[in-house]
Amino acid sequence: MDLVAACRAFVSVSEHGSFTVGAAAVRTAQSVVSRRVAALEQRLGERLLDRSSRTVTLTPFGRDMLPSARQLVQSADRFENEAEAVRRRPLRLAVPAICPTGALARLIAEAHGHGVLLDPCPAGPAERSDLVTSRQVRAALLAVAPTGAAWTVPLGLAVADDPRGPVYLDSLRPGRTDRDRRPRRVLLQPEDDVPHVRDRLVRLRDAVGLRPAQLAVAPAVAAAAADVLSRGDALLCSAAQARELRLHWRPVGELGPGFARGFSLAVADESDADAIRLRQACACGIARCLGATEHPEAAA
């Protein structure tokens, strides 16, 4: 016997004073409700309802048992509601703040098509790592070296004037006549203020003789793009981001095409079915958000 279903039938008939109306209230056939109440009475060993008149009434035993039956039904309903809420709990995914809104919207829609309610949470590289470690998010796109990445994003310099070829950092070295002028800078975004990107540029800066201040982290992309347009600076970014900013993008001449951001998907709990489904089904959508090329072997 289904104890919860039997108690639900008993409570409904008791509240409505009729098997017909009580059965309709729980959207169950009257014959089924009658059998469930009878089975409950047989199990408890006492009659719960008096069926001797046109109106169904509670027996003394039924009046004493009704509060407990109602509590059991309410507890079962709460349990089912909580299970549904947990099942439909959004998957919070920490993503780079540079991800375009349109690409994130398409990723959310793609994940929804695979049964995953995705809730992107933009954050910087260090914060994304902390969020997934502390389980404040269920997954995160972490910044990693390109050699171990599932997705890579080639990096270059966005400049105001088309250089018709790679941009070499030694071309930014101030000359003797530039002592009183502000030197052109290479601006990094917070997303690229990570060792596998920043340290290579620092070594190159020192090797070609640039001043320390010529390599700086820009707090905001809009302000950095403004300096590119008005002061001749260069912004480190992807080709897609340069197009969005309507700037000319070229590789860093001394570093070549292997200079890139790298990303991997970290999951707080490897038994999380939604996170695993996201990794398997939405790799291309994640690549679009990052402006990346996917490494099939690493993704697998």
Side-chain angles (χ1 to χ4, degrees), residues 13-14 16-22 30 34 47 49-58:
V13 172
S14 301
H16 293 90
S18 165
F19 275 91
T20 302
V21 180
Q30 180 180 342
S34 297
R47 291 180 64 84
L49 299 170
D50 185 354
R51 304 167 177 81
S52 59
S53 63
R54 293 176 59 88
T55 302
V56 177
T57 59
L58 288 164

Side-chain angles (χ1 to χ4, degrees), residues 69-300:
R70 186 180 287 119
Q71 185 177 8
L72 176 62
V73 171
Q74 292 172 347
S75 296
D77 289 342
R78 283 196 299 271
F79 180 77
E80 290 182 354
N81 291 336
E82 289 174 6
E84 177 67 12
V86 170
R87 188 180 68 82
R88 296 188 61 81
R89 176 170 57 101
L91 191 156
R92 291 196 75 206
L93 171 68
V95 301
I98 58 172
C99 291
T101 301
L104 282 176
R106 288 191 289 274
L107 176 61
I108 294 170
E110 182 181 351
H112 191 266
H114 292 283
V116 178
L117 296 177
L118 192 61
D119 178 20
C121 174
E127 185 182 2
R128 295 198 301 275
S129 180
D130 291 341
L131 286 172
V132 74
T133 300
S134 62
R135 294 177 178 259
Q136 296 180 63
V137 298
R138 293 165 64 185
L141 289 168
L142 299 185
V144 298
T147 52
W151 300 273
T152 57
V153 183
L155 288 173
L157 295 175
V159 292
D161 299 321
D162 190 354
R164 304 285 182 182
V167 175
Y168 290 86
L169 256 64
D170 67 359
S171 66
L172 306 181
R173 185 172 56 245
R176 293 181 179 179
T177 60
D178 298 327
R179 291 180 179 178
D180 298 328
R181 298 172 57 187
R182 174 188 175 280
R184 296 172 64 193
R185 298 180 300 168
V186 174
L187 301 173
L188 279 69
Q189 301 175 68
E191 185 60 37
D192 298 315
D193 190 16
V194 291
H196 59 272
V197 175
R198 179 192 61 237
D199 292 355
R200 291 191 67 183
L201 284 174
V202 168
R203 290 193 295 269
L204 178 58
R205 176 201 67 188
D206 296 342
V208 301
L210 299 188
R211 299 173 186 173
Q214 284 186 265
L215 182 63
V217 177
V221 175
D227 284 344
V228 172
L229 293 168
S230 63
R231 298 187 173 186
D233 291 339
L235 173 65
L236 187 73
C237 65
S238 67
Q241 194 172 21
R243 286 193 298 270
E244 181 184 349
L245 296 170
R246 297 186 179 181
L247 298 173
H248 299 282
W249 185 89
R250 292 293 180 269
V252 180
E254 294 94 342
L255 297 179
F259 184 47
R261 295 172 183 149
F263 296 95
S264 65
L265 181 66
V267 177
D269 182 356
E270 285 295 340
S271 65
D272 189 329
D274 285 346
I276 294 171
R277 195 177 305 120
L278 177 73
R279 175 188 287 160
Q280 295 173 343
C282 299
C284 292
I286 293 173
R288 284 194 302 270
C289 287
L290 299 172
T293 54
E294 184 180 357
H295 288 181
E297 295 180 1

Side-chain angles (χ1 to χ4, degrees), residues 1 10 36-51 57-65:
M1 181 189 71
F10 165 53
R36 287 176 177 173
V37 173
L40 181 60
E41 290 176 327
Q42 184 177 5
R43 177 165 178 172
L44 298 178
E46 291 281 351
R47 291 180 64 84
L48 296 164
L49 299 170
D50 185 354
R51 304 167 177 81
T57 59
L58 288 164
T59 66
F61 178 71
R63 282 195 298 271
D64 290 340
M65 294 304 299

